[in-house]
Amino acid sequence: MEQEDPSYYTQKMPPFWKIYSRLFGFTAFSSILLIAWLDNWIYALIPCTVALICLVHMYYFVRCPRCARRLSPRTAKKQPDSERYLYDCPECKITWDPHLIFDPPSA
């Protein structure tokens, strides 16, 4: 998914992914309680479904805070071993930075 930098002006974006991590944590905790209380493992699918919905939204449905058009995601190397996600808006000519950085697990 790594693409060339279109050399747009970079601007900070509200960190929407923090809401996703809190939502996932809440649903994971709730499903653990439901599994313990009702003794039914089907509730383990709830956090998996929430995580899938959040990932699909992150890749396909993030909108520009300025013009509300869909943004195209790309990754950029931050350091040799980490990547950061950026979103480009071709209409506004802005690269939005949500400060989302992925570090690979150390071997």
Side-chain angles (χ1 to χ4, degrees):
M1 184 165 115
E2 189 166 338
Q3 300 169 353
E4 286 186 30
D5 184 9
S7 298
Y8 292 158
Y9 173 72
T10 303
Q11 196 166 356
K12 289 183 182 180
M13 183 180 205
F16 62 89
W17 53 272
K18 287 184 180 180
I19 296 169
Y20 293 165
S21 61
R22 289 180 186 137
L23 180 65
F24 178 75
F26 175 75
T27 56
F29 180 73
S30 300
S31 67
I32 289 171
L33 290 178
L34 285 172
I35 290 169
W37 184 38
L38 300 174
D39 197 27
N40 191 349
W41 285 93
I42 196 72
Y43 295 110
L45 294 176
I46 295 171
C48 298
T49 306
V50 168
L52 182 66
I53 290 170
C54 291
L55 284 174
V56 167
H57 182 266
M58 273 180 53
Y59 287 112
Y60 298 110
F61 298 109
V62 176
R63 299 236 174 223
C64 178
R66 183 176 286 175
C67 70
R69 292 182 62 124
R70 259 192 209 150
L71 298 175
S72 56
R74 67 179 171 92
T75 58
K77 292 278 186 193
K78 182 174 188 221
Q79 293 176 354
D81 59 344
S82 65
E83 293 181 338
R84 67 195 278 178
Y85 273 81
L86 300 171
Y87 293 94
D88 297 322
C89 180
E91 182 72 23
C92 299
K93 306 283 192 239
I94 294 176
T95 297
W96 293 99
D97 184 7
H99 299 287
L100 180 60
I101 299 171
F102 286 112
D103 294 324
S106 54

